Amino acid sequence: MRPLIVLFGDSHTEESFREGGWGAALAHHFSRSADIVLRGYNGYNTRWALKVLDRVMEGVGRSPAAITVFFGANDAALADKYNRLQHVPLDEYKENLQAICSSIKERWPSTIVILITPPPIYDEGLQKHPSGDDNSGELERTNVSTGDFAKACIDVANNSGVPVIDIWSEIQNYPDWEKSLLGWDGMHLSDQGNRILFEEVVKELKKAGMSLETFPTDLPLFANLDEKDPLKSFTDM
């Protein structure tokens, strides 16, 4: 059976299978060697993710080789602003993230869990495109507050002994990141930003022993095909 790689997260994961998305790029990258399973939930924070975790993972079935856990962008919504329903206090965010990691490892001890921090926010871009019917003119989340959640995510990873992708910092290493690596809303990644995240995920998977070199190819490549019996070529490999 092909190995499974599960992507679990909020809208940054749900939208990752769109054209130019990091999840779609991952599926293409492993198209002959692993199945990428999408479990993205727009608007969810870690509180809700933890409550639905068992239901989500039951649908996955067999033990995945790896699971990315990508939450924090909604938890970081400011507690007294428009999207306060999504806000989760920083300490609870850490507890929820730790509980998600522990639950996955308890269910599948051999599965590699990879945490991903929330990406940065372009405050000016977000202010120009407020959520829903928010006419307050006030930011409902900021890059500074999101950065606190990114640091908390890294803390959880270090304490749990799991790898983490600090995409909040990585994106900001590039010039003009606000407009080139984030989309029109100042919050979600652009195609270029998605490419950077895809490359970071591939790096972390490779560190954990999962790559095109280590995953077997599903069925023989055309050059090795026995035209009369394609399965014979496969069993002889």
Side-chain angles (χ1 to χ4, degrees):
M1 283 189 180
R2 293 187 185 201
L4 297 181
I5 299 174
V6 177
L7 315 182
F8 180 42
D10 53 31
S11 59
H12 292 289
T13 296
E14 181 176 335
E15 296 179 10
S16 72
F17 267 33
R18 68 166 178 81
E19 185 177 355
W22 66 275
L26 203 63
H28 177 70
H29 182 75
F30 288 115
S31 60
R32 287 289 294 273
S33 53
D35 288 334
I36 311 302
V37 180
L38 180 65
R39 292 294 183 269
Y41 301 90
N42 178 37
Y44 276 52
N45 56 30
T46 54
R47 182 184 297 158
W48 301 327
L50 182 58
K51 288 181 182 296
V52 302
L53 181 61
D54 286 344
R55 166 74 177 274
V56 169
M57 295 307 161
E58 282 171 5
V60 170
R62 56 193 169 87
S63 175
I67 297 179
T68 60
V69 178
F70 192 4
F71 288 99
N74 297 314
D75 302 68
L78 299 177
D80 59 346
K81 303 302 179 185
Y82 181 81
N83 277 322
R84 55 189 173 274
L85 180 68
Q86 294 177 309
H87 172 76
V88 170
L90 199 59
D91 286 344
E92 184 192 343
Y93 169 72
K94 294 174 73 171
E95 292 172 1
N96 293 340
L97 208 53
Q98 175 67 65
I100 290 170
C101 292
S102 297
S103 179
I104 292 171
K105 294 298 286 185
E106 183 177 347
R107 181 185 288 267
W108 296 305
S110 64
T111 295
I112 301 298
V113 177
I114 301 173
L115 295 183
I116 305 176
T117 72
I121 297 287
Y122 176 34
D123 292 354
E124 184 179 329
L126 184 62
Q127 196 161 30
K128 290 178 180 178
H129 301 92
S131 300
D133 57 356
D134 179 14
N135 298 314
S136 67
E138 298 179 331
L139 282 170
E140 45 90 15
R141 66 193 81 198
T142 68
N143 194 39
V144 171
S145 65
T146 301
D148 291 336
F149 282 78
K151 294 180 180 71
C153 180
I154 295 169
D155 287 344
V156 171
N158 292 337
N159 292 334
S160 303
V162 302
V164 60
I165 297 170
D166 181 9
I167 200 65
W168 185 84
S169 296
E170 180 63 24
I171 290 292
Q172 294 180 85
N173 286 332
Y174 291 80
D176 196 34
W177 62 268
E178 300 94 333
K179 296 180 180 178
S180 63
L181 301 183
L182 295 180
W184 61 270
D185 63 357
M187 182 169 64
H188 292 91
L189 296 172
S190 68
D191 287 356
Q192 290 175 280
N194 270 275
R195 185 69 191 181
I196 291 170
L197 179 53
F198 157 72
E199 291 171 353
E200 292 299 314
V201 172
V202 169
K203 285 180 190 176
E204 287 302 325
L205 290 171
K206 190 168 187 176
K207 289 178 186 177
M210 288 172 270
S211 67
L212 295 179
E213 293 75 27
T214 59
F215 282 157
T217 301
D218 183 14
L219 296 180
L221 298 175
F222 175 69
N224 303 320
L225 190 67
D226 183 321
E227 63 182 78
K228 295 182 179 178
D229 186 1
L231 284 177
K232 180 177 182 299
S233 303
F234 178 65
T235 57
D236 289 346
M237 291 175 66

